[in-house]
Amino acid sequence: GTIKDILIGPDGKMAGAIINVGRYLGIGDKDVAVPFAALQLEPRAGGRRIVMDATKEALQSASAFEGYQTKR
């Protein structure tokens, strides 16, 4: 998936991430929320990437994150 947004807790620290989980050709994609602590930085040739210990199927079967309010 792709990190779409970061959730900030009342203490001002990163509390979670909204990940867009896509299915084949973008059909049935949805946003799911995961705790920020579940994300890890992994070294990679030419930089780093963010990973988590979850299968694609687990993320696709997770409940969709239904909106949030942004301050404007």
Side-chain angles (χ1 to χ4, degrees):
T2 302
I3 295 177
K4 188 174 179 180
D5 207 350
I6 300 293
L7 299 173
I8 305 297
D11 60 358
K13 296 182 181 180
M14 292 181 275
I18 306 300
I19 299 177
N20 183 265
V21 180
R23 296 188 185 205
Y24 186 68
L25 297 175
I27 298 170
D29 67 334
K30 64 180 176 180
D31 295 336
V32 296
V34 297
F36 195 76
L39 304 176
Q40 302 166 6
L41 282 177
E42 179 179 89
R44 186 178 185 176
R48 295 179 282 183
R49 68 180 181 169
I50 298 173
V51 298
M52 66 180 291
D53 188 20
T55 64
K56 181 178 179 179
E57 292 78 18
L59 289 172
Q60 288 176 340
S61 66
S63 298
F65 181 74
E66 296 296 333
Y68 48 92
Q69 295 179 356
T70 58
K71 293 182 180 179
R72 293 181 188 233

